[in-house]
Amino acid sequence: MQADLVITHIDPLAEINFVDGIEYTISSGNLIKTDTLLSDSPEMLAQKQLNAYNARDIEAFLEPYAEDVKVYEFPNKLTMEGKEAMRKAYSGMFEKVTNLHCELVNRIVQGNTVIDQESVTGFGEDKFEAIAVYKVKDGKIAEVYFLR
């Protein structure tokens, strides 16, 4: 007899979000690697990096980005290029700014572009408003434009 089954590296009884840890699915006798079923939507990529930013988790923060990501000050001033440049800039910030937090105020998704209106705290006394535009290519965030 054939059965449907999932294989996970997370204990589903201990972790409510165990579905994030599903690595393989067996359906109708076929072994399927889970990451080949559905890729993350542009909105999900933007949300993953925002969640990791607020958790100050540098590895999770960088995961949605392309290796050759380009970061711009709007409209076209290149400020950073590549994941390693982001790692240096953000890991230092995550360590130094202990009360860092970005609140999503509004989000617009149009095809492979996500536009987030954000309220950021942790840099001095006042919060500031910012706009981040994420452009997704080949399942990763390839370009980011910041407007403050």
Side-chain angles (χ1 to χ4, degrees), residues 8-22:
T8 179
H9 66 271
I10 297 173
D11 179 357
L13 299 176
E15 178 60 49
I16 190 88
N17 293 325
F18 80 94
V19 294
D20 291 338
I22 296 174

Side-chain angles (χ1 to χ4, degrees), residues 11-80:
D11 179 357
L13 299 176
E15 178 60 49
I16 190 88
N17 293 325
F18 80 94
V19 294
D20 291 338
I22 296 174
E23 295 191 31
Y24 294 95
T25 301
I26 298 175
S27 178
S28 301
N30 297 310
L31 181 66
I32 304 165
K33 187 154 174 51
T34 302
D35 62 6
T36 64
L37 293 173
L38 291 174
S39 59
D40 287 329
S41 68
E43 183 174 13
M44 183 60 72
L45 292 170
Q47 189 61 47
K48 281 183 172 183
Q49 64 84 40
L50 177 63
N51 293 347
Y53 178 94
N54 285 335
R56 289 179 290 290
D57 181 337
I58 191 65
E59 295 307 319
F61 174 73
L62 292 172
E63 193 277 326
Y65 288 95
E67 289 298 324
D68 59 348
V69 62
K70 291 182 173 80
V71 180
Y72 296 90
E73 182 180 311
F74 187 85
N76 59 5
K77 180 182 176 188
L78 183 65
T79 59
M80 229 179 303

